[in-house]
Amino acid sequence: MDEKKRRSIFNHAKEWIYEAGQHIRDVIDEPLYIDTKSNPNDLVTQMDRNTEKYFLEKIKHTYPDHRLLSEEGFGDDVQSLDGTIWIVDPIDGTMNFVHQKRNFAISIGIYHEGLGEIGLIYNVMEDVLYTAMKGEGAYKNDKKLPQLNEKLTLDESIIVVNSIWACENRKINNKKIQALIQSVRGTRSYGSAALEFAFIAEGIVDGYLTMQLSPWDLAAGVILVNEVGGVTTQANGESINLLTNTTVFSSNAVINERIKKDFIELM
């Protein structure tokens, strides 16, 4: 994608994500209509759906040849990464949105011929926007973020991991995850994958492990982490597939190699 076109798409995405976030803040205290999807903890609200429809209308009107892959099903049936694809999570962290009215984000990753070109993650209630364009670094509210500390080791790190993955009733190697937790300086969990990627890019956490994410959960975050010198792979070290659910480990290169060496048998 040439620089002029990328900049134009970025400016539109930035304008639209701010508009969507402002609308959410304006109506945050109005009654919510809450449904469940795959399980009682998999929540969706009319705000998720309305926000996705907003992006669909903006994208299709402005870029009719672009496709949309998004969580609530209003986008296209995307079977390949050909062309330009917007991968959107209208509200990442819906449980936080419902219960806390904070700690949720709008996430947009824009890919062209399979390459991540633009990433935006908007912490709506804090009015903090993380952005990245391929080859230009990552930013927090227009302030450039430094590159990750490549000398930081696993035992010095704070890793984002949900404690649910250490439970015995999960179909994963919970003993390995427990050993990982014991190997690090500390763990955190914020309830929004997009924000957890953004916090890696910002350098306030050092890695993120999860055993299941959908494309819209990670598409923008991968681009941000790439632009500060980080690495995002599946938990076994293989490349991420943006068309399926996947395991994820994101960190600096040193920690990523340590995970592959000592904790690869997580599944």
Side-chain angles (χ1 to χ4, degrees):
M1 183 182 294
D2 67 70
E3 170 61 26
K4 184 177 180 181
K5 184 175 182 180
R6 181 168 56 212
R7 178 63 61 179
S8 175
I9 294 171
F10 173 81
N11 288 337
H12 278 128
K14 186 175 179 180
E15 175 188 348
W16 299 339
I17 206 169
Y18 271 133
E19 286 181 358
Q22 182 62 59
H23 175 70
I24 291 171
R25 287 195 298 272
D26 288 344
V27 301
I28 191 71
D29 292 320
E30 294 183 4
L32 281 174
Y33 299 94
I34 304 168
D35 294 326
T36 60
K37 294 189 287 187
S38 61
N39 64 68
N41 294 325
D42 188 6
L43 305 181
V44 61
T45 71
Q46 83 273 19
M47 188 59 68
D48 297 77
R49 296 183 175 115
N50 291 343
T51 303
E52 183 168 314
K53 289 178 181 178
Y54 166 83
F55 283 110
L56 176 66
E57 291 169 1
K58 290 290 188 180
I59 294 165
K60 292 299 184 180
H61 176 75
T62 310
Y63 303 105
D65 59 327
H66 291 189
R67 292 181 293 158
L68 171 65
L69 174 60
S70 193
E71 182 170 15
E72 307 309 333
F74 296 106
D76 299 289
D77 180 18
V78 177
Q79 300 296 325
S80 77
L81 295 177
D82 297 341
T84 302
I85 301 173
W86 297 57
I87 306 179
V88 175
D89 196 335
I91 296 182
D92 183 76
T94 301
M95 189 177 295
N96 291 349
F97 171 69
V98 170
H99 287 273
Q100 302 173 350
K101 297 183 180 180
R102 59 181 297 177
N103 296 326
F104 61 90
I106 303 171
S107 176
I108 301 174
I110 302 172
Y111 286 72
H112 181 68
E113 304 298 350
L115 297 177
E117 297 280 352
I118 298 167
L120 303 97
I121 295 173
Y122 188 33
N123 186 339
V124 174
M125 300 310 291
E126 300 294 330
D127 191 22
V128 172
L129 179 63
Y130 299 87
T131 61
M133 284 196 290
K134 183 182 176 184
E136 298 188 19
Y139 293 78
K140 177 185 179 182
N141 282 350
D142 299 322
K143 181 178 181 180
K144 192 169 187 179
L145 297 172
Q147 295 288 290
L148 298 184
N149 178 4
E150 285 300 326
K151 295 182 179 180
L152 189 74
T153 60
L154 184 65
D155 61 329
E156 299 171 315
S157 65
I158 296 176
I159 300 294
V160 176
V161 58
N162 192 319
S163 60
I164 194 171
W165 300 120
C167 297
E168 292 185 5
N169 63 340
R170 296 281 161 174
K171 295 180 180 179
I172 56 176
N173 192 333
N174 66 297
K175 297 299 183 184
K176 282 281 188 178
I177 294 181
Q178 291 169 15
L180 171 62
I181 290 170
Q182 293 170 4
S183 299
V184 302
R185 179 164 287 170
T187 61
R188 301 290 186 271
S189 182
Y190 298 93
S192 164
L195 290 180
E196 289 162 338
F197 276 108
F199 294 160
I200 294 175
E202 188 177 354
I204 60 176
V205 298
D206 308 305
Y208 174 37
L209 172 69
T210 183
M211 306 314 291
Q212 183 172 315
L213 281 187
S214 298
W216 41 82
D217 297 316
L218 60 93
V222 168
I223 298 170
L224 262 71
V225 171
N226 283 350
E227 287 300 313
V228 293
V231 178
T232 304
T233 64
Q234 295 184 54
N236 62 6
E238 295 181 5
S239 299
I240 293 290
N241 185 341
L242 281 169
L243 296 177
T244 64
N245 289 354
T246 184
T247 63
V248 169
F249 188 76
S250 186
S251 67
N252 71 21
V254 171
I255 295 173
N256 189 274
E257 284 298 319
R258 172 74 187 281
I259 292 294
K260 286 190 289 186
K261 177 177 180 288
D262 291 348
F263 300 100
I264 195 167
E265 296 176 356
L266 290 169
M267 293 298 288

